[in-house]
Amino acid sequence: MISCSSGCLEVPIESCEDTDCFPFNNDLLNELLSNPESLDVLLLASENSRLRVKSSTTYQTETQLGEIHWNVAKDDEQNLRSIAMRFSLGTTSIDTEVLEGTETTNIRLGNVWYEGRDAIPDYKDPFYDIAQQAVEDPDGFWPSFGFDTTSISGLEWTITHDLESLEQVASAQNDTHSIILVLKGVPPELIGVELYGNDDSAFVLSIEKGDDVELSLKPDLPRAAIEFNVEDPVQLSDGTTIWAGYVPLGFTSEVDATELSFQVIESESTIVEFNLADLTSNQTDVHGDWWDFIYWDYSGDGYFSASDYYEIRTNSTNSVSIKTYDSWADTWAGEITPSNG
Protein backbone atom coordinates (compact mmCIF):
# COMPACT_ATOMS: atom_id res chain seq x y z
CA MET A 1 0.00 0.00 0.00
CA ILE A 2 1.32 3.46 -0.92
CA SER A 3 1.19 6.03 1.84
CA CYS A 4 -0.01 9.58 1.00
CA SER A 5 1.21 11.81 3.78
CA SER A 6 0.62 15.01 1.76
CA GLY A 7 -0.67 16.19 -1.61
CA CYS A 8 -3.08 13.28 -2.19
CA LEU A 9 -6.84 13.58 -2.49
CA GLU A 10 -8.52 11.16 -0.15
CA VAL A 11 -12.16 10.51 -1.01
CA PRO A 12 -14.17 9.11 1.89
CA ILE A 13 -16.28 6.08 1.14
CA GLU A 14 -18.67 6.66 4.02
CA SER A 15 -21.17 9.51 4.06
CA CYS A 16 -20.24 12.46 6.23
CA GLU A 17 -21.82 15.64 7.50
CA ASP A 18 -20.42 18.29 5.16
CA THR A 19 -21.62 19.26 1.68
CA ASP A 20 -18.03 18.85 0.43
CA CYS A 21 -18.18 15.15 1.23
CA PHE A 22 -18.57 12.24 -1.15
CA PRO A 23 -20.94 10.52 -1.45
CA PHE A 24 -23.98 12.54 -0.39
CA ASN A 25 -26.70 11.20 1.83
CA ASN A 26 -30.32 12.34 1.66
CA ASP A 27 -29.91 15.24 4.11
CA LEU A 28 -26.78 16.62 2.43
CA LEU A 29 -28.40 16.52 -1.01
CA ASN A 30 -31.48 18.36 0.24
CA GLU A 31 -29.21 20.93 1.89
CA LEU A 32 -27.54 21.54 -1.48
CA LEU A 33 -30.89 21.81 -3.28
CA SER A 34 -32.18 24.31 -0.73
CA ASN A 35 -29.54 26.77 -1.98
CA PRO A 36 -30.99 28.77 -4.94
CA GLU A 37 -27.47 29.12 -6.37
CA SER A 38 -26.90 25.36 -6.63
CA LEU A 39 -27.96 25.55 -10.30
CA ASP A 40 -27.42 29.16 -11.40
CA VAL A 41 -26.37 29.29 -15.07
CA LEU A 42 -25.28 32.95 -14.93
CA LEU A 43 -23.14 32.21 -11.88
CA LEU A 44 -21.58 29.28 -13.74
CA ALA A 45 -20.95 31.55 -16.75
CA SER A 46 -19.14 34.08 -14.56
CA GLU A 47 -16.95 31.37 -13.02
CA ASN A 48 -16.12 29.31 -16.13
CA SER A 49 -14.50 30.47 -19.37
CA ARG A 50 -15.72 27.30 -21.07
CA LEU A 51 -19.32 26.29 -20.50
CA ARG A 52 -22.04 24.36 -22.30
CA VAL A 53 -25.66 24.09 -21.18
CA LYS A 54 -28.17 21.86 -22.96
CA SER A 55 -31.88 21.63 -22.33
CA SER A 56 -34.70 19.58 -23.82
CA THR A 57 -38.39 20.17 -23.25
CA THR A 58 -41.03 17.69 -24.38
CA TYR A 59 -44.72 18.53 -24.27
CA GLN A 60 -47.98 17.15 -25.60
CA THR A 61 -50.63 19.24 -27.34
CA GLU A 62 -54.13 17.93 -27.95
CA THR A 63 -53.01 16.19 -31.13
CA GLN A 64 -49.21 16.39 -31.44
CA LEU A 65 -45.96 15.85 -29.58
CA GLY A 66 -43.66 18.87 -29.39
CA GLU A 67 -39.95 19.10 -28.55
CA ILE A 68 -37.62 22.07 -28.02
CA HIS A 69 -33.88 21.50 -27.69
CA TRP A 70 -31.29 24.18 -26.88
CA ASN A 71 -27.51 23.82 -26.84
CA VAL A 72 -25.58 26.96 -25.85
CA ALA A 73 -21.81 26.98 -25.37
CA LYS A 74 -18.93 29.43 -25.04
CA ASP A 75 -15.15 29.55 -25.04
CA ASP A 76 -14.08 32.97 -23.76
CA GLU A 77 -10.42 32.30 -24.54
CA GLN A 78 -11.15 31.78 -28.24
CA ASN A 79 -13.95 34.38 -28.37
CA LEU A 80 -16.28 31.71 -29.73
CA ARG A 81 -19.86 30.99 -28.85
CA SER A 82 -22.41 28.54 -30.19
CA ILE A 83 -26.20 28.74 -30.05
CA ALA A 84 -28.10 25.75 -31.42
CA MET A 85 -31.85 25.20 -31.43
CA ARG A 86 -34.01 22.34 -32.64
CA PHE A 87 -37.79 22.59 -32.57
CA SER A 88 -40.26 19.98 -33.74
CA LEU A 89 -44.03 19.79 -33.61
CA GLY A 90 -45.65 16.96 -35.49
CA THR A 91 -44.11 16.94 -38.96
CA THR A 92 -42.70 20.49 -38.66
CA SER A 93 -39.04 20.81 -37.70
CA ILE A 94 -36.42 23.59 -37.42
CA ASP A 95 -32.77 22.76 -36.69
CA THR A 96 -30.14 25.54 -36.68
CA GLU A 97 -26.82 26.47 -35.10
CA VAL A 98 -24.62 29.57 -35.25
CA LEU A 99 -20.97 29.53 -34.22
CA GLU A 100 -19.71 33.11 -33.98
CA GLY A 101 -17.46 35.60 -32.23
CA THR A 102 -14.71 36.06 -34.83
CA GLU A 103 -14.58 37.45 -38.38
CA THR A 104 -15.42 33.97 -39.66
CA THR A 105 -18.70 32.40 -38.57
CA ASN A 106 -20.28 28.99 -39.12
CA ILE A 107 -23.98 28.43 -39.72
CA ARG A 108 -25.70 25.05 -39.64
CA LEU A 109 -29.06 24.42 -41.29
CA GLY A 110 -30.16 20.89 -40.56
CA ASN A 111 -27.07 18.73 -41.05
CA VAL A 112 -25.29 21.09 -43.48
CA TRP A 113 -22.70 23.68 -42.43
CA TYR A 114 -21.93 26.99 -44.17
CA GLU A 115 -19.41 29.79 -43.71
CA GLY A 116 -20.49 33.32 -42.88
CA ARG A 117 -18.59 36.48 -41.98
CA ASP A 118 -18.65 39.43 -39.62
CA ALA A 119 -16.30 42.33 -40.35
CA ILE A 120 -16.51 43.72 -36.79
CA PRO A 121 -17.04 40.75 -34.47
CA ASP A 122 -18.32 41.72 -31.03
CA TYR A 123 -18.01 38.66 -28.83
CA LYS A 124 -20.51 38.49 -25.97
CA ASP A 125 -20.98 35.81 -23.37
CA PRO A 126 -24.05 34.02 -24.80
CA PHE A 127 -25.56 33.25 -21.40
CA TYR A 128 -25.55 36.88 -20.27
CA ASP A 129 -26.55 38.02 -23.76
CA ILE A 130 -29.56 35.70 -23.85
CA ALA A 131 -30.55 36.67 -20.30
CA GLN A 132 -30.50 40.36 -21.23
CA GLN A 133 -32.56 39.78 -24.37
CA ALA A 134 -35.06 37.71 -22.39
CA VAL A 135 -35.54 40.61 -19.96
CA GLU A 136 -36.04 43.05 -22.84
CA ASP A 137 -38.42 40.68 -24.66
CA PRO A 138 -40.01 38.36 -22.08
CA ASP A 139 -42.41 36.94 -24.67
CA GLY A 140 -39.56 35.90 -26.98
CA PHE A 141 -38.34 32.39 -27.75
CA TRP A 142 -35.46 31.77 -25.33
CA PRO A 143 -33.63 28.76 -23.84
CA SER A 144 -35.22 27.21 -20.76
CA PHE A 145 -32.13 27.26 -18.53
CA GLY A 146 -33.83 28.38 -15.35
CA PHE A 147 -34.61 25.74 -12.73
CA ASP A 148 -35.46 26.32 -9.08
CA THR A 149 -33.78 23.54 -7.11
CA THR A 150 -35.56 24.62 -3.93
CA SER A 151 -38.78 23.27 -5.47
CA ILE A 152 -37.45 19.71 -5.17
CA SER A 153 -35.65 20.08 -1.84
CA GLY A 154 -37.02 17.93 0.96
CA LEU A 155 -37.74 14.80 -1.08
CA GLU A 156 -36.61 11.29 -0.19
CA TRP A 157 -33.72 10.47 -2.54
CA THR A 158 -32.17 7.21 -3.62
CA ILE A 159 -28.50 7.97 -4.28
CA THR A 160 -25.91 5.85 -6.08
CA HIS A 161 -22.30 6.80 -6.70
CA ASP A 162 -19.21 5.84 -8.69
CA LEU A 163 -15.93 6.42 -6.89
CA GLU A 164 -13.77 6.40 -10.02
CA SER A 165 -15.72 9.12 -11.86
CA LEU A 166 -16.85 10.91 -8.68
CA GLU A 167 -20.36 10.89 -10.12
CA GLN A 168 -23.57 10.53 -8.15
CA VAL A 169 -27.09 9.89 -9.42
CA ALA A 170 -30.08 10.67 -7.24
CA SER A 171 -33.70 9.78 -7.96
CA ALA A 172 -36.98 10.69 -6.29
CA GLN A 173 -40.65 11.29 -6.99
CA ASN A 174 -43.18 13.91 -6.05
CA ASP A 175 -46.88 14.15 -6.87
CA THR A 176 -46.30 15.21 -10.48
CA HIS A 177 -42.84 14.09 -11.60
CA SER A 178 -40.15 11.46 -11.47
CA ILE A 179 -36.85 13.28 -10.89
CA ILE A 180 -33.25 12.32 -11.62
CA LEU A 181 -30.25 14.42 -10.59
CA VAL A 182 -26.62 14.02 -11.63
CA LEU A 183 -23.80 15.38 -9.47
CA LYS A 184 -20.08 15.23 -10.06
CA GLY A 185 -16.82 16.05 -8.32
CA VAL A 186 -15.64 16.94 -4.85
CA PRO A 187 -17.32 19.02 -3.64
CA PRO A 188 -20.28 17.61 -5.59
CA GLU A 189 -21.82 19.98 -8.14
CA LEU A 190 -25.17 19.59 -9.83
CA ILE A 191 -24.60 18.99 -13.56
CA GLY A 192 -27.87 17.38 -14.63
CA VAL A 193 -31.59 17.55 -13.94
CA GLU A 194 -34.26 15.32 -15.48
CA LEU A 195 -37.97 15.69 -14.80
CA TYR A 196 -40.51 13.28 -16.28
CA GLY A 197 -44.11 14.32 -15.76
CA ASN A 198 -47.10 12.11 -15.20
CA ASP A 199 -48.62 13.84 -18.27
CA ASP A 200 -45.79 12.60 -20.58
CA SER A 201 -44.02 15.97 -20.43
CA ALA A 202 -40.27 16.04 -19.80
CA PHE A 203 -37.50 18.51 -19.03
CA VAL A 204 -33.81 17.59 -19.19
CA LEU A 205 -30.92 19.96 -18.47
CA SER A 206 -27.21 19.14 -18.52
CA ILE A 207 -24.04 21.14 -17.90
CA GLU A 208 -20.49 20.72 -19.19
CA LYS A 209 -17.52 22.94 -18.39
CA GLY A 210 -13.77 23.21 -18.70
CA ASP A 211 -11.99 20.78 -21.02
CA ASP A 212 -15.27 18.96 -21.71
CA VAL A 213 -16.32 21.95 -23.85
CA GLU A 214 -14.72 22.21 -27.29
CA LEU A 215 -15.61 24.82 -29.91
CA SER A 216 -13.87 25.17 -33.27
CA LEU A 217 -14.68 26.65 -36.67
CA LYS A 218 -14.97 24.28 -39.60
CA PRO A 219 -12.77 25.01 -42.66
CA ASP A 220 -13.59 24.91 -46.39
CA LEU A 221 -17.33 25.38 -46.12
CA PRO A 222 -19.65 26.74 -48.83
CA ARG A 223 -20.27 30.44 -48.27
CA ALA A 224 -23.63 31.77 -47.14
CA ALA A 225 -24.76 35.17 -48.41
CA ILE A 226 -26.25 37.70 -46.02
CA GLU A 227 -29.90 37.36 -45.04
CA PHE A 228 -31.47 40.57 -46.31
CA ASN A 229 -34.44 41.52 -48.47
CA VAL A 230 -35.32 44.92 -49.91
CA GLU A 231 -38.72 46.18 -48.74
CA ASP A 232 -41.73 45.96 -51.07
CA PRO A 233 -42.25 48.93 -53.42
CA VAL A 234 -44.63 51.80 -52.72
CA GLN A 235 -46.33 53.76 -55.52
CA LEU A 236 -46.21 57.52 -54.87
CA SER A 237 -48.78 60.10 -55.96
CA ASP A 238 -46.36 61.67 -58.46
CA GLY A 239 -46.16 58.40 -60.39
CA THR A 240 -42.76 57.34 -59.09
CA THR A 241 -42.05 54.11 -57.23
CA ILE A 242 -39.89 53.81 -54.12
CA TRP A 243 -38.23 50.93 -52.28
CA ALA A 244 -36.94 52.14 -48.91
CA GLY A 245 -36.18 50.90 -45.42
CA TYR A 246 -33.66 50.26 -42.68
CA VAL A 247 -31.45 47.24 -42.21
CA PRO A 248 -33.25 45.29 -39.43
CA LEU A 249 -31.88 45.42 -35.90
CA GLY A 250 -31.79 41.63 -36.00
CA PHE A 251 -29.04 41.83 -38.63
CA THR A 252 -26.10 41.11 -36.30
CA SER A 253 -23.14 41.15 -38.71
CA GLU A 254 -21.17 43.97 -40.27
CA VAL A 255 -20.39 43.54 -43.98
CA ASP A 256 -18.12 45.48 -46.34
CA ALA A 257 -20.46 47.57 -48.51
CA THR A 258 -18.26 46.99 -51.57
CA GLU A 259 -19.37 43.34 -51.47
CA LEU A 260 -23.07 44.22 -51.87
CA SER A 261 -25.06 45.62 -54.76
CA PHE A 262 -28.73 46.29 -55.49
CA GLN A 263 -29.70 44.98 -58.92
CA VAL A 264 -32.85 45.81 -60.85
CA ILE A 265 -34.06 42.60 -62.50
CA GLU A 266 -36.34 42.53 -65.53
CA SER A 267 -37.13 39.21 -67.22
CA GLU A 268 -34.25 37.57 -65.31
CA SER A 269 -31.75 40.15 -66.61
CA THR A 270 -30.04 42.97 -64.70
CA ILE A 271 -30.86 46.35 -66.24
CA VAL A 272 -29.44 48.60 -63.49
CA GLU A 273 -26.89 47.90 -60.74
CA PHE A 274 -25.87 49.96 -57.71
CA ASN A 275 -22.89 49.10 -55.51
CA LEU A 276 -23.63 50.21 -51.95
CA ALA A 277 -20.10 51.57 -51.47
CA ASP A 278 -20.97 54.33 -53.99
CA LEU A 279 -23.52 55.71 -51.46
CA THR A 280 -25.51 57.56 -54.17
CA SER A 281 -26.08 57.02 -57.86
CA ASN A 282 -28.40 58.20 -60.65
CA GLN A 283 -28.69 55.90 -63.65
CA THR A 284 -30.77 55.45 -66.79
CA ASP A 285 -31.93 51.99 -67.84
CA VAL A 286 -32.27 50.55 -71.35
CA HIS A 287 -35.81 51.97 -71.61
CA GLY A 288 -34.69 55.52 -70.82
CA ASP A 289 -36.18 55.50 -67.29
CA TRP A 290 -34.18 57.03 -64.42
CA TRP A 291 -33.17 55.32 -61.18
CA ASP A 292 -31.97 57.08 -58.00
CA PHE A 293 -30.10 55.08 -55.37
CA ILE A 294 -29.17 56.16 -51.84
CA TYR A 295 -27.35 54.17 -49.17
CA TRP A 296 -26.76 55.85 -45.80
CA ASP A 297 -24.42 54.33 -43.23
CA TYR A 298 -26.68 55.48 -40.42
CA SER A 299 -24.81 53.48 -37.77
CA GLY A 300 -21.55 55.18 -38.79
CA ASP A 301 -19.46 52.03 -38.43
CA GLY A 302 -18.27 52.04 -42.04
CA TYR A 303 -20.06 48.79 -42.85
CA PHE A 304 -23.46 47.56 -44.01
CA SER A 305 -25.08 46.84 -40.66
CA ALA A 306 -28.22 47.16 -38.55
CA SER A 307 -30.12 50.49 -38.78
CA ASP A 308 -28.46 51.60 -42.06
CA TYR A 309 -30.90 53.23 -44.50
CA TYR A 310 -31.42 52.62 -48.22
CA GLU A 311 -33.72 54.17 -50.81
CA ILE A 312 -34.39 53.38 -54.46
CA ARG A 313 -36.62 55.60 -56.62
CA THR A 314 -37.65 55.36 -60.26
CA ASN A 315 -40.13 56.68 -62.80
CA SER A 316 -40.21 53.26 -64.47
CA THR A 317 -43.57 51.53 -64.77
CA ASN A 318 -42.11 48.26 -66.01
CA SER A 319 -42.45 45.05 -64.01
CA VAL A 320 -39.15 44.64 -62.16
CA SER A 321 -37.76 43.26 -58.90
CA ILE A 322 -34.89 44.46 -56.70
CA LYS A 323 -32.43 41.84 -55.49
CA THR A 324 -29.28 42.10 -53.37
CA TYR A 325 -26.17 40.45 -54.77
CA ASP A 326 -23.44 39.35 -52.35
CA SER A 327 -20.13 39.14 -54.26
CA TRP A 328 -18.31 37.52 -51.30
CA ALA A 329 -20.64 34.52 -51.51
CA ASP A 330 -21.07 34.92 -55.29
CA THR A 331 -24.83 34.58 -55.04
CA TRP A 332 -28.02 36.44 -54.13
CA ALA A 333 -28.79 37.41 -50.55
CA GLY A 334 -30.36 34.56 -48.65
CA GLU A 335 -28.75 31.90 -50.84
CA ILE A 336 -25.71 29.63 -50.66
CA THR A 337 -22.83 29.54 -53.10
CA PRO A 338 -22.54 26.06 -54.67
CA SER A 339 -18.76 26.00 -54.28
CA ASN A 340 -16.28 26.87 -51.55
CA GLY A 341 -15.74 30.34 -52.99
Side-chain angles (χ1 to χ4, degrees), residues 45 48-50 74-80 123-126:
N48 295 275
S49 61
R50 291 182 179 180
K74 69 163 185 170
D75 184 336
D76 292 337
E77 297 172 7
Q78 294 192 84
N79 281 355
L80 282 177
Y123 174 77
K124 296 179 181 178
D125 183 305

Side-chain angles (χ1 to χ4, degrees), residues 244-292:
Y246 292 89
V247 180
L249 294 178
F251 189 87
T252 58
S253 298
E254 289 80 22
V255 177
D256 189 339
T258 63
E259 299 172 346
L260 303 176
S261 62
F262 291 151
Q263 298 192 19
V264 181
I265 309 298
E266 181 183 43
S267 301
E268 300 184 0
S269 297
T270 299
I271 60 172
V272 179
E273 180 176 356
F274 166 62
N275 187 275
L276 272 62
D278 293 337
L279 302 182
T280 63
S281 177
N282 181 273
Q283 301 181 40
T284 302
D285 65 23
V286 293
H287 305 294
D289 296 320
W290 56 261
W291 291 83
D292 280 338

Side-chain angles (χ1 to χ4, degrees), residues 29 32-33 38-41 44 53-57 144-153 155 157 168-172 174 177-184 189-196 202-208:
L29 177 55
L32 176 69
L33 297 175
S38 61
L39 187 58
D40 186 328
V41 171
L44 287 169
V53 181
K54 296 185 285 187
S55 71
S56 298
T57 303
S144 50
F145 289 163
F147 181 75
D148 180 12
T149 58
T150 64
S151 66
I152 56 173
S153 176
L155 299 178
W157 298 93
Q168 302 179 72
V169 177
S171 59
N174 59 20
H177 291 83
S178 297
I179 306 164
I180 299 174
L181 305 179
V182 181
L183 303 99
K184 192 169 186 178
E189 294 183 349
L190 193 57
I191 62 169
V193 176
E194 302 178 20
L195 287 85
Y196 300 97
F203 174 74
V204 177
L205 184 144
S206 63
I207 296 169
E208 301 171 4

Side-chain angles (χ1 to χ4, degrees), residues 105-180:
T105 65
N106 286 175
I107 305 117
R108 179 178 58 78
L109 302 176
N111 295 322
V112 183
W113 284 92
Y114 304 99
E115 179 182 339
R117 85 279 203 192
D118 187 356
I120 311 178
D122 181 20
Y123 174 77
K124 296 179 181 178
D125 183 305
F127 300 100
Y128 278 92
D129 192 25
I130 290 172
Q132 180 179 351
Q133 293 182 60
V135 170
E136 296 172 353
D137 182 13
D139 296 326
F141 189 53
W142 309 112
S144 50
F145 289 163
F147 181 75
D148 180 12
T149 58
T150 64
S151 66
I152 56 173
S153 176
L155 299 178
E156 290 295 324
W157 298 93
T158 299
I159 305 172
T160 61
H161 69 275
D162 178 70
L163 186 60
E164 183 176 354
S165 65
L166 296 180
E167 186 170 285
Q168 302 179 72
V169 177
S171 59
Q173 287 186 317
N174 59 20
D175 293 338
T176 58
H177 291 83
S178 297
I179 306 164
I180 299 174

